[in-house]
Amino acid sequence: MNNEPYEPLRYFALALDPIHVGTGGMRLGRVDMSIVREPGTNLPKIPGTSLAGVARTYAAMQEGGKFPYCAGQGQSQGTYKGHCGQPDCPICTTFGFSKGSEASFQGLAQFSDARLLFFPVHSLAGPVWVTCPEALKDPGITEAEPADEQVRVADGVKQGGRLNLGWLMFNVKSNEPLVLNLPQVSQEILNHAVLVSNKMFSHIANDNLEVRTSVSIDPQTGAAAEGALFTYEAIPRASVLYFDVIVSDPKFYKIGNQTPLQNNGGKQKVVETVEKGLTLFASLGVGGMNTRGMGRLRVLNFSAGGAQ
Ligand SMILES: [Zn+2]
């Protein structure tokens, strides 16, 4: 905890299942349901809005029914009363609330998109985790960019001067082993890391996404709907991603005339609420199609004094 008006928290996460966070668009290119990508790099990502929405739901579940109306979108409808909007509600203050035209609050925790850090690929040397200088830059690691046809590899990657990543073949710079220091990420992954150019990272990730075919079930009959095979893409299991959560100090804000969480833990409560939500990513998942064995994401580090 610092004394600044806001505090940046960085989380690393390991995909325990393939993760599909869809664009909502159907039949784009070779798959029916494509995933969200970063403009520019074209790398798959998980939007921060998706992370925040799921974390909100799970954090509310962890409060054991104390804030039954604070998990959802907030617009009151029929028996659903909408967000409580109380200054001491950990869910509404952390993730924001909107009570129609009456009042709204942005939320003290702002989630960035989750970006790819290590992408798993099969090679003749076994599974390896591909990364690039651009992906490593934000986590604070500076590596020179190899040429497009070159790679640098960590000690655990057994190779004889050449290495295939999927169907692409690369020359290994064997005089410069890749040594990465990232305590949040397992040594198994770091020992099998491969550094490629920024451009090749995007190619390799897009060429090696999971693409699965599934059958649509007709909800009326429970049977497979006729002609309803569909394909969808997903970030593969064992990918490593990272995202940031910026936590603002509630003492600089007002809801009505009251400081949020003044009687309920202050800034520490915001961090705890975020992390209560994040812990359930590993069992309940993020993104779509969680009932098809998809979406579980294990957050690898929690801040001291947080949920774990
Ligand atoms: Zn609330």
Side-chain angles (χ1 to χ4, degrees), residues 14 28 33 40 53 82 87 107 110 112-113 117 125 136 142 146 157 171 219 226 243 262 272 274 285 290 293 306:
L14 177 71
L28 295 167
M33 295 169 74
Q110 297 297 315
S112 78
D113 297 338
L117 182 57
L136 291 168
T142 307
V157 181
N171 295 318
E226 202 176 329
F243 59 96
Q262 190 178 322
E272 280 175 26
V274 166
N290 297 2

Side-chain angles (χ1 to χ4, degrees), residues 67 70 84-85 89 92:
F67 307 98
C70 302
C84 77
C89 170
C92 288

Side-chain angles (χ1 to χ4, degrees), residues 115-295:
R115 305 174 71 194
L116 274 177
L117 182 57
F118 291 105
F119 188 94
V121 180
H122 288 288
S123 76
L124 292 176
V128 296
W129 279 264
V130 178
T131 187
C132 72
E134 191 59 38
L136 291 168
K137 198 166 76 181
D138 258 356
I141 295 176
T142 307
E143 294 287 348
E145 188 176 12
D148 284 346
E149 68 281 0
Q150 265 183 341
V151 295
R152 284 173 56 209
V153 304
D155 263 353
V157 181
K158 300 281 166 271
Q159 41 74 32
R162 307 255 287 160
L163 181 72
N164 76 300
L165 299 171
W167 55 275
L168 292 167
M169 192 60 89
F170 295 85
N171 295 318
V172 178
K173 275 182 112 173
S174 43
N175 55 342
E176 288 180 48
L178 181 65
V179 181
L180 297 175
N181 179 23
L182 261 174
Q184 300 88 346
V185 176
S186 84
Q187 207 54 48
E188 172 71 10
I189 291 175
L190 299 178
N191 284 343
H192 294 89
V194 174
L195 185 80
V196 301
S197 73
N198 297 327
K199 186 174 116 192
M200 293 315 292
F201 187 50
S202 176
H203 277 297
I204 291 164
N206 280 295
D207 282 348
N208 293 279
L209 287 175
E210 296 240 359
V211 179
R212 292 189 174 191
T213 302
S214 193
V215 182
S216 273
I217 305 295
D218 184 330
Q220 301 291 325
T221 63
E226 202 176 329
L229 279 181
F230 67 96
T231 53
Y232 53 90
E233 55 183 15
I235 296 172
R237 176 183 291 126
S239 296
V240 178
L241 302 102
Y242 70 93
F243 59 96
D244 294 330
V245 179
I246 308 293
V247 172
S248 299
D249 192 325
K251 73 182 177 205
F252 296 101
Y253 294 82
K254 284 271 189 268
I255 293 175
N257 54 9
Q258 211 182 312
T259 303
L261 299 174
Q262 190 178 322
N263 310 310
N264 196 8
K267 182 163 78 168
Q268 181 63 30
K269 185 69 176 181
V270 180
V271 177
E272 280 175 26
T273 304
V274 166
E275 297 196 345
K276 275 182 182 175
L278 298 184
T279 53
L280 288 186
F281 283 15
S283 46
L284 300 180
V286 298
M289 294 186 286
N290 297 2
T291 56
R292 297 175 194 260
M294 310 225 349

Side-chain angles (χ1 to χ4, degrees), residues 56 67 69-70 83-86 89-93 97:
R56 176 186 201 115
F67 307 98
Y69 300 110
C70 302
H83 296 159
C84 77
Q86 294 303 306
C89 170
I91 308 303
C92 288
T93 53
F97 63 83

